[in-house]
Amino acid sequence: MAPVTALSGRLRELLDDLEAAGLIRSLEGAEEYRFRHALTREAAYASLTRHRRRQLHLAIGLFLEAHPEASGAEAVDLLAYHFTNAGEPDLACRYALLAADRALSSFSNSEALAFLQQALEVVGPDGSPALRFQLLEALGDVYVLLRKGNRALDRFSAALDAWQAIPAGDQWQGLRLHRKIIHVSVEMKWALEEGTFQALRAAGQASRRALEAASRNLLPEGPTPETVRVQTVLSTAAWRMDRSPDWEAAFRHAQTAVRDGRLLDSPEVLSPALGALAAVTLARGELQESLATALDRLEVTRREGFSDLRERLDSLRGAGAALMYVGNYEEAIVLLLEAEKIAVRIQAVDQQFNVLSLLTQCWFRLDRWDSLLARDADWEELELRFPQEQTGPICFPLALRAVVHARRGEAARAKSLADRSMQIMVSTWGQTNWLRNAHY
């Protein structure tokens, strides 16, 4: 039960009667009461009509809203719970978004999903387009964190439909959704099987066309965080979405993003832009340029006050990869092990996979077979617990492990790993449509 303040005489009598009957108990040092057993609480709740439940949830929600000190640190959670159960769309949406943000700050992704989905049910399919837009976009963001690309695309597409139904909707909100759809299609390119990816790719291409056309007409006089993010995603799309990469466009968009990001003096905006520039120069084979940019990005995320752990993690992984590609394996391992700790802490499964894959390559090239094979159990746990959509295709590290086992004379183990690697490659890219670096 919620805390009770300024108890009236009649209310005090009723609470005393319930306590005497053994149904509730008072908490020492506070005017607060709890049911003695969860079943008692459930029975009392079930005895109320649906209309009465909503009335009580609304009354409690309004009380807590007016007296935030009564619910402490969990205020937004309780407000989201009560206003959702009260069937109040506006209030349910407002506090569900706040509660989801609080959950995400502690990396409780599933909890954030629950708040948002319950509020969306209250709004309903025919409810306010503005509320649906906010909740659907937030749900898509959470699914991106969970690496569930198809569900993220579904929510972003539905959010785009809701946005289009908003009278005089903000054009930048639509561009932001197109940017996120492109991001999903690019990031999931090598994580989904070929057939499943086609729908994602088509949506990404449509959003790319819309973003390129609209951004030319809507760009403001000076840079904004969103224009930098648009340039960043267009850079990645230019070389990762097409079979024939447009390197010039990719480099131009990345340079523009970095230039504008520096003008804004926002480390959180600048870091992804530097990541895009480092990625495109690496893909073009400009290893030293890529390394310099990756280390610049790492320095940005190490600045005092930088709080985005996901971005810091990605900068560590990117710098580790850049060091690996120029042969500085020992330095790469130090950064990658630091990145791995963060990835585990924030439950970033895809980054756990990426970092462990890079570590495996470093150990392989240093002939540290024992270090490489000591992580076999970690690979097997990732493969067992998570689908490829969340980890990415695991074929490359499987192949490296197969080589090590073969060189140690463990032919059966090597063949098993090699066969699984081939199976994943064929199911992901088909019989012939492999990446140029996939013929290992």
Side-chain angles (χ1 to χ4, degrees):
M1 297 180 68
V4 179
T5 58
L7 296 177
S8 68
R10 178 56 179 157
L11 177 57
R12 173 80 68 182
E13 290 177 8
L14 292 172
L15 290 170
D16 288 343
D17 290 343
L18 290 171
E19 188 171 18
L23 297 176
I24 64 173
R25 61 185 175 87
S26 61
L27 300 186
E28 186 176 352
E31 289 188 325
E32 184 174 348
Y33 293 79
R34 297 285 175 89
F35 284 104
R36 287 190 175 277
H37 199 287
L39 292 177
T40 306
R41 181 188 63 215
E42 292 171 9
Y45 191 76
S47 69
L48 301 172
T49 65
R50 183 179 181 184
H51 177 69
R52 183 57 177 154
R53 288 180 195 174
R54 287 192 167 192
Q55 285 181 321
L56 291 173
H57 278 297
L58 179 58
I60 295 170
L62 292 174
F63 173 83
L64 293 175
E65 192 176 40
H67 303 84
E69 72 283 357
S71 48
E74 296 180 349
V76 292
D77 297 27
L78 288 171
L79 287 164
Y81 169 76
H82 286 296
F83 286 130
T84 295
N85 283 281
E88 292 289 323
D90 290 281
L91 292 168
C93 177
R94 179 193 307 172
Y95 288 108
L97 290 167
L98 292 172
D101 284 342
R102 188 205 59 77
L104 291 175
S105 69
S106 59
F107 315 108
S108 301
N109 299 329
S110 297
E111 186 178 343
L113 277 181
F115 282 121
L116 296 169
Q117 288 171 337
Q118 289 162 9
L120 185 61
E121 289 175 8
V122 172
V123 174
D126 300 319
S128 162
L131 297 182
R132 286 182 55 77
F133 161 75
Q134 294 179 68
L135 293 168
L136 286 163
E137 182 182 17
L139 279 166
D141 290 338
V142 179
Y143 279 123
V144 168
L145 294 177
L146 292 170
R147 292 283 294 183
K148 296 185 177 181
N150 284 326
R151 293 186 184 183
L153 175 63
D154 177 72
R155 300 310 184 271
F156 287 144
S157 297
L160 196 57
D161 291 339
W163 169 78
Q164 290 169 342
I166 300 173
D170 183 347
Q171 292 297 305
W172 282 102
Q173 292 178 335
L175 291 184
R176 187 175 68 230
L177 286 171
H178 283 303
R179 169 176 62 80
K180 291 180 178 183
I181 289 171
I182 294 171
H183 174 77
V184 170
S185 68
V186 168
E187 289 300 310
M188 301 306 296
K189 178 177 180 179
W190 296 314
L192 298 172
E193 294 186 356
E194 178 69 15
T196 306
F197 174 68
Q198 290 309 313
L200 203 64
R201 183 176 184 274
Q205 291 287 21
S207 281
R208 179 183 174 188
R209 291 190 294 270
L211 192 61
E212 288 174 336
S215 62
R216 287 192 292 269
N217 301 323
L218 292 173
L219 288 179
E221 293 183 4
T224 68
E226 186 57 30
T227 61
V228 174
R229 296 185 184 105
V230 166
Q231 294 292 336
T232 299
V233 80
L234 287 176
S235 170
T236 306
W239 69 274
R240 287 185 63 178
M241 289 188 74
D242 298 330
R243 295 192 184 280
S244 298
D246 187 340
W247 296 114
E248 181 181 348
F251 189 68
R252 183 179 68 254
H253 285 303
Q255 279 192 316
T256 301
V258 170
R259 181 201 66 200
D260 290 352
R262 293 192 192 282
L263 289 174
L264 291 173
D265 193 27
S266 171
E268 288 77 13
V269 174
L270 176 59
S271 177
L274 287 167
L277 183 59
V280 71
T281 49
L282 176 64
R284 296 203 308 184
E286 299 165 358
L287 302 186
Q288 292 298 334
E289 292 83 350
S290 177
L291 175 60
T293 304
L295 293 176
D296 185 7
R297 181 192 185 193
L298 181 59
E299 186 277 327
V300 167
T301 64
R302 288 196 186 280
R303 292 178 188 173
E304 185 177 356
F306 192 94
S307 59
D308 189 337
L309 276 182
R310 292 184 176 88
E311 193 61 31
R312 180 176 296 168
L313 162 59
D314 198 58
S315 72
L316 283 163
R317 180 207 53 78
L323 286 165
M324 183 197 74
Y325 282 119
V326 299
N328 292 350
Y329 304 123
E330 298 286 2
E331 294 179 56
I333 288 172
V334 172
L335 294 183
L336 292 170
L337 288 174
E338 183 182 352
E340 186 177 37
K341 290 181 180 179
I342 299 176
V344 171
R345 175 184 168 188
I346 69 174
Q347 303 176 53
V349 177
D350 60 317
Q351 290 284 29
Q352 291 178 50
F353 162 79
N354 289 330
V355 169
L356 189 52
S357 180
L358 291 167
L359 283 168
T360 298
Q361 294 177 66
C362 289
W363 289 323
F364 182 83
R365 289 164 180 168
L366 289 170
D367 290 331
R368 293 186 184 173
W369 293 0
D370 289 340
S371 296
L372 188 154
L373 296 181
R375 305 301 291 273
D376 270 5
D378 295 327
W379 280 120
E380 289 168 2
E381 182 180 7
L382 278 174
E383 192 175 6
L384 181 66
R385 290 183 57 196
F386 304 103
Q388 178 173 302
E389 182 182 11
Q390 289 184 264
T391 63
I394 208 165
C395 47
F396 182 61
L398 280 171
L400 292 183
R401 291 158 59 202
V403 171
V404 172
H405 281 289
R407 289 183 176 180
R408 288 164 62 105
E410 299 161 356
R413 176 64 169 160
K415 184 177 186 308
S416 173
L417 292 170
D419 288 346
R420 281 165 56 205
S421 177
M422 176 67 76
Q423 181 183 17
I424 292 170
M425 290 175 68
V426 170
S427 67
T428 302
W429 292 292
Q431 291 287 345
T432 58
N433 185 33
W434 293 359
L435 302 175
R436 64 184 180 183
N437 64 345
H439 299 274
Y440 35 85

